[in-house]
């Protein structure tokens, strides 16, 4: 099959799975922003997306997309290294027109993967997994997604790790978005520049959404914290 056996096919798979993951991140960001303003609203979403059959099926589909994206990233990296052969050792300076993120996508990908494992432990394991196996004791309860956010970002170490993770995702996506557009063949000089600008603005706003949530809970100034406490927390 050409999607697996050719370089172009592998890039198409990377582009399609990458765009699908960006769409998921968009949904996830919108969901997280709800937590800034309403504890009840966020927990209602968590209940809706709990261990229901459709949520579990969507999680499995998402895991499949992420796995394919990661595997193909390693395959393409190995393929590119093999194609360059020993020539990659001859030049130590980075070409002026090549972005840093473009040359370090694998490193960024590994950082993102490690951050993803941490995130899955902090939230998926303590929420959906806990619902699937109710005999295991979890505190706070799996249904209290808001409590998970508060507990996680009350720890300065987690805050720093999440900020680094978000920065790595931003660098990865800022290159990955326009790279996918190029793979799809939308690389005319005029529109490619426009798509590149659109992608940069979009992923920047997307990552800022995640960052605001982390910092708002880290510094205790999310409006939802004040409403949950029944009075203004005064941190803002």
């Amino acid at each position: 099959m050409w999607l697996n056996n050719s370089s172009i096919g592998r890039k198409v798979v990377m582009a399609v799975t990458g765009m699908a993951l960006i769409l998921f991140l968009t949904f996830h960001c919108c969901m997280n922003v709800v937590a800034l303003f309403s504890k009840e609203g966020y927990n209602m979403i968590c209940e809706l997306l709990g261990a229901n059959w459709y949520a579990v099926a969507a999680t499995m589909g998402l895991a499949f997309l992420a796995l394919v994206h990661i595997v193909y990233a390693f395959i393409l990296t190995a393929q590119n290294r093999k194609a360059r052969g020993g020539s990659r050792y001859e030049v130590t300076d980075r070409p002026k027109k090549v972005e840093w993120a473009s040359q370090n996508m694998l490193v960024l990908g590994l950082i993102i993967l490690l951050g993803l494992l941490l995130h899955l432990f902090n939230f998926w394991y303590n929420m959906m997994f806990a619902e699937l196996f109710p005999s295991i004791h979890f505190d706070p309860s799996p249904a209290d997604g808001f409590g998970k956010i508060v507990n996680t970002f009350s720890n300065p170490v987690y805050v720093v790790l999440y900020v680094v993770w978000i920065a790595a995702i931003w660098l990865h996506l800022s290159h990955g978005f326009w790279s996918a557009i190029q793979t799809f063949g939308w690389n005319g000089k005029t529109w490619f520049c426009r798509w590149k600008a659109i992608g940069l603005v979009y992923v920047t706003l997307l990552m800022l959404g995640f960052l605001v949530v982390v910092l708002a809970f880290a510094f205790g100034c999310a409006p939802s914290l004040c409403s949950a406490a029944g009075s203004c927390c005064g941190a803002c």
Side-chain angles (χ1 to χ4, degrees):
M1 186 176 180
W2 74 274
L3 283 175
N4 185 58
N5 297 328
S6 70
S7 176
I8 295 177
R10 296 187 189 106
K11 289 181 179 179
V12 169
V13 172
M14 283 286 291
V16 171
T17 55
M19 284 299 187
L21 292 172
I22 289 177
L23 288 175
F24 167 74
L25 285 176
T26 302
F27 165 77
H28 199 350
C29 183
C30 293
M31 174 181 168
N32 285 6
V33 169
V34 173
L36 285 175
F37 302 99
S38 173
K39 173 183 177 179
E40 293 75 16
Y42 183 76
N43 280 342
M44 183 175 68
I45 295 174
C46 290
E47 184 178 359
L48 180 66
L49 300 176
N52 304 297
W53 69 266
Y54 50 84
V56 173
T59 300
M60 293 176 63
L62 182 64
F64 175 75
L65 286 174
L67 182 61
V68 170
H69 193 78
I70 292 168
V71 169
Y72 272 71
F74 278 103
I75 291 174
L76 283 171
T77 299
Q79 176 183 299
N80 291 338
R81 287 179 178 272
K82 183 178 180 180
R84 288 197 300 268
S87 63
R88 68 179 183 272
Y89 301 108
E90 296 174 3
V91 180
T92 57
D93 294 331
R94 178 170 60 89
K96 293 182 179 180
K97 292 187 178 181
V98 178
E99 298 175 353
W100 182 88
S102 177
Q103 290 198 326
N104 294 275
M105 289 295 276
L106 183 61
V107 175
L108 290 172
L110 290 173
I111 295 173
I112 293 170
L113 178 59
L114 292 174
L116 177 61
L117 294 175
L118 175 65
H119 186 62
L120 288 174
F121 171 75
N122 283 336
F123 291 96
W124 180 85
Y125 172 74
N126 288 289
M127 293 173 69
M128 183 177 287
F129 183 85
E131 281 194 55
L132 291 172
F133 298 94
S135 59
I136 304 176
H137 176 70
F138 291 85
D139 186 32
S141 72
D144 188 12
F146 187 86
K148 299 294 183 185
I149 294 179
V150 174
N151 285 352
T152 299
F153 298 127
S154 64
N155 187 331
V157 175
Y158 281 146
V159 173
V160 172
L161 290 176
Y162 270 83
V163 170
V164 171
W165 186 40
I166 290 170
I169 295 174
W170 178 82
L171 286 168
H172 190 81
L173 294 185
S174 64
H175 169 76
F177 187 96
W178 68 258
S179 180
I181 293 297
Q182 192 173 47
T183 298
F184 293 147
W186 304 336
N187 55 352
K189 185 176 181 181
T190 301
W191 266 103
F192 178 68
C193 292
R194 292 174 181 174
W195 275 115
K196 194 172 182 179
I198 291 170
L200 181 60
V201 172
Y202 186 83
V203 300
T204 299
L205 292 175
L206 185 60
M207 290 302 106
L208 279 176
F210 285 108
L211 184 62
V212 166
V213 172
V214 171
L215 297 181
F217 279 93
F219 292 101
C221 62
S224 54
L225 291 173
C226 296
S227 60
S231 63
C232 182
C233 57
C236 300

